[in-house]
Amino acid sequence: MNPTIVLSVIGIYFLILILISQLTSKNANTSTFFTADKQSPWYLVAFGMIGASLSGVTFISVPGWVADSKFSYMQMVLGNLVGYAVIGLVLMPMYYRLNLVSIYTYLEQRFGFWSYKTGAFFFLLSRTIGASFRLFLVAGVLQIALFDAWNIPFAVTVAITILLIWLYTFRGGIKTIVWTDTLQTLFILAAVAISIWLIKDRLDLSTGALINTIEQSEYSQMFFWDLKDGKNFFKQFLAGAFISIVMMGLDQDMMQKHLTCRNLKDAQKNIFWFSVVFAFVNLLFLGLGAMLYIYAEQSGIAIPANSDDLYPVLALNNFSTFAGIIFLLGIIAAAYSSADSALTALTTSFCVDFLNFDHKDGKAPRSETSKKKIRQKVHIGFSLLIFLIILVFKAVNDQSVISAIFKVAGYTYGPLLGLYAFGLFFKGKVVDKYTPYVCVAAPVISVILDANSAAWFSGFSFGFFILIVNGFLTLLGLWLISSFSNNAKV
């Protein structure tokens, strides 16, 4: 695609986002940055959450992943629905009752200082790595579509990518993001729908024939029952339920948006409507993936060695200019709808959980001017950290980005899962000072188990189920250091 066209599309897109930022950040203060003053309409949050949950990873990696995993990803998506129900019925009522800004302050109330800091630390670790992976994906697309033509290094592409996020989030924070996510979700859904329609026309298929072609293809297998297989239904379903709980319900990034709703009832309507639409949209992405492979095979187009490159290569090099523009809008919207909120949530968590912006340390409250300066420095600091992680990942990545994200999530979100499970379903306290040791030991043991499972357990593979194992090990460790011997609630 012509680099001038690409640059024009990107320029217009970000001018719109910056305009939204200007409108939503008027009279904004630190509370607005963190909570949007709790005035967000629930339907706006629900629609925007679709884009934030999908991200550039879903947009590119899920279609590319179809060759290796077929439609098995839907097993996880079905599990997600159970997880979202738990969030709406168990976690949200607690968060609203305690009136939390950072959801990790619950851990201090429940266990103590070290448990609180440990939970917040694991969020910062998980979300920093996850946001970096997602931005790595969009930077790669921009490199192919634009910057390679001008011989601009990948590091410069990454720097530009992060700078654009900073420009429209550093003032309005979560209030701006609630509105920009809505626009970006619209672009994502339009892109996938138009892409499927264009491929359908290229293959000269009716809608019914298109569905039948996908169903009859080798890619459409959805359920896998072999217990040794990492794609086994029960592993994927349970992993999907727990992944949605930890990557949304125990994640400051995602929950910060839900907590901007006016009240609990609105927040619950938001999560329930979102979950239904989310499942349908993921099925669309898998259908798109099958059609991309079918189209490439029938057209004699070589499949890229890296599955994440399939959709970008076809959209930018083999489809029409219009299709390429739609793809660019979709991938940019998908990547930025996730990454911008991640940067804001990281800033929020660090300011509240480690810099005590809520004054729990007993010191005199900071002035609004002081808070603003510190918040902006933290925002810049996380931007630089994400930049460095992307460059490292570029040097070592050898797998699908979505696979990498879920793998990392299995290790880093396990301690959060164990902490909240113990807090919600067991009575009593833990010996707070030992919590960090438990939360470090559980992921280390999980890594060892995952790496050696095939040899130790006759070919058994944990797959994404390792998240549950990790959470259980954390829960077991917390029970062992508990102050009580009989903790379980009846």
Side-chain angles (χ1 to χ4, degrees):
M1 183 184 293
N2 188 315
T4 303
I5 296 176
V6 175
L7 187 61
S8 300
V9 170
I10 295 172
I12 293 171
Y13 180 80
F14 280 100
L15 282 175
I16 295 173
L17 293 187
I18 291 170
L19 176 60
I20 293 174
S21 174
Q22 293 287 335
L23 294 173
T24 55
S25 62
K26 288 181 179 179
N27 303 316
N29 54 26
T30 299
S31 176
T32 305
F33 188 95
F34 292 160
T35 69
D37 301 318
K38 290 190 177 294
Q39 292 297 313
S40 300
W42 71 265
Y43 47 85
L44 201 69
V45 178
F47 188 71
M49 282 298 300
I50 295 170
S53 300
L54 291 172
S55 81
V57 175
T58 304
F59 196 83
I60 289 181
S61 274
V62 167
W65 209 18
V66 164
D68 293 330
S69 301
K70 311 295 190 287
F71 275 28
S72 65
Y73 185 59
M74 277 304 295
Q75 298 175 136
M76 289 186 66
V77 173
L78 293 174
N80 290 159
L81 298 178
V82 176
Y84 294 142
V86 172
I87 293 169
L89 297 173
V90 178
L91 293 176
M92 277 186 172
M94 179 184 71
Y95 295 151
Y96 269 87
R97 184 178 71 252
L98 298 176
N99 194 29
L100 302 181
V101 175
S102 167
I103 63 174
Y104 307 113
T105 51
Y106 160 77
L107 296 174
E108 184 174 37
Q109 297 176 33
R110 181 65 177 82
F111 298 125
F113 175 85
W114 289 109
S115 299
Y116 167 41
K117 299 302 181 184
T118 300
F121 167 78
F122 271 97
F123 161 72
L124 292 176
L125 176 66
S126 304
R127 184 49 68 178
T128 302
I129 295 173
S132 301
F133 284 1
R134 290 174 172 91
L135 279 177
F136 163 79
L137 203 60
V138 72
V141 172
L142 292 177
Q143 190 71 30
I144 294 172
L146 179 61
F147 295 112
D148 275 343
W150 294 337
N151 295 317
I152 293 176
F154 182 74
V156 176
T157 304
V158 175
I160 293 171
T161 301
I162 295 174
L163 176 62
L164 289 171
I165 292 178
W166 194 87
L167 283 174
Y168 71 88
T169 62
F170 81 101
R171 288 193 300 180
I174 196 67
K175 183 177 181 181
T176 296
I177 286 166
V178 166
W179 287 90
T180 56
D181 275 1
T182 302
L183 175 68
Q184 291 175 143
T185 297
L186 183 62
F187 280 126
I188 294 168
L189 298 183
V192 68
I194 291 172
S195 295
I196 291 174
W197 186 266
L198 290 172
I199 295 173
K200 179 183 79 72
D201 280 356
R202 285 281 184 105
L203 295 176
D204 195 24
L205 296 172
S206 65
T207 302
L210 172 70
I211 295 173
N212 187 62
T213 299
I214 295 173
E215 288 178 344
Q216 298 301 318
S217 73
E218 61 180 298
Y219 306 110
S220 64
Q221 183 179 355
M222 187 177 297
F223 299 106
F224 294 78
W225 306 105
D226 183 357
L227 285 175
K228 292 183 178 180
D229 191 343
K231 300 190 295 292
N232 171 265
F233 171 79
F234 299 104
K235 295 180 191 177
Q236 295 269 48
F237 183 84
L238 289 172
F242 282 93
I243 282 174
S244 62
I245 291 172
V246 298
M247 294 187 75
M248 180 173 288
L250 305 183
D251 186 287
Q252 177 66 24
D253 180 6
M254 294 299 182
M255 290 311 301
Q256 191 168 351
K257 297 174 187 176
H258 292 297
L259 295 176
T260 66
C261 291
R262 295 184 175 93
N263 51 53
L264 172 61
K265 184 177 179 181
D266 278 2
Q268 288 176 321
K269 284 191 290 187
N270 155 36
I271 190 71
F272 294 141
W273 277 105
F274 154 77
S275 62
V276 173
V277 178
F278 178 76
F280 175 73
V281 170
N282 272 284
L283 187 59
L284 275 182
F285 271 99
L286 290 169
L288 172 61
M291 292 310 301
L292 288 170
Y293 279 102
I294 291 169
Y295 174 78
E297 290 163 2
Q298 293 190 12
S299 303
I301 299 171
I303 304 295
N306 186 340
S307 63
D308 286 345
D309 291 338
L310 176 65
Y311 191 12
V313 167
L314 289 179
L316 297 174
N317 299 330
N318 296 92
F319 294 166
S320 65
T321 299
F322 172 71
I325 291 173
I326 292 299
F327 167 79
L328 277 176
L329 286 172
I331 180 57
I332 293 170
Y336 279 94
S337 65
S338 174
D340 54 13
S341 61
L343 190 55
T344 299
L346 289 168
T347 300
T348 300
S349 178
F350 194 81
C351 288
V352 173
D353 298 325
F354 291 95
L355 300 182
N356 298 310
F357 265 36
D358 54 358
H359 321 305
K360 289 186 302 179
D361 54 2
K363 296 180 180 179
R366 292 184 175 94
S367 67
E368 180 58 36
T369 302
S370 174
K371 285 183 178 181
K372 182 178 179 180
K373 288 180 179 179
I374 295 172
R375 170 169 52 81
Q376 290 182 352
K377 288 179 181 178
V378 172
H379 212 53
I380 293 171
F382 275 109
S383 299
L384 293 173
L385 179 59
I386 289 171
F387 171 77
L388 294 174
I389 293 173
I390 292 174
L391 296 186
V392 172
F393 189 62
K394 170 69 172 175
V396 302
N397 177 48
D398 62 353
Q399 59 184 318
S400 169
V401 174
I402 192 169
S403 177
I405 285 177
F406 285 137
K407 198 172 190 67
V408 169
Y411 300 139
T412 57
Y413 278 97
L416 282 171
L417 178 61
L419 281 165
Y420 277 84
F422 190 95
L424 289 169
F425 301 113
F426 286 75
K427 294 178 181 178
K429 297 282 188 178
V430 299
V431 182
D432 182 51
K433 65 181 179 180
Y434 294 139
T435 297
Y437 299 103
V438 170
C439 291
V440 170
V444 170
I445 295 171
S446 298
V447 169
I448 295 171
L449 285 173
D450 198 22
N452 296 280
S453 62
W456 291 352
F457 308 117
S458 303
F460 179 86
S461 172
F462 283 107
F464 300 137
F465 190 76
I466 196 65
L467 167 66
I468 301 173
V469 174
N470 193 357
F472 173 77
L473 290 173
T474 305
L475 181 66
L476 179 62
L478 293 172
W479 179 79
L480 290 174
I481 64 170
S482 171
S483 304
F484 300 91
S485 58
N486 185 18
N487 292 320
K489 286 184 178 179
V490 179

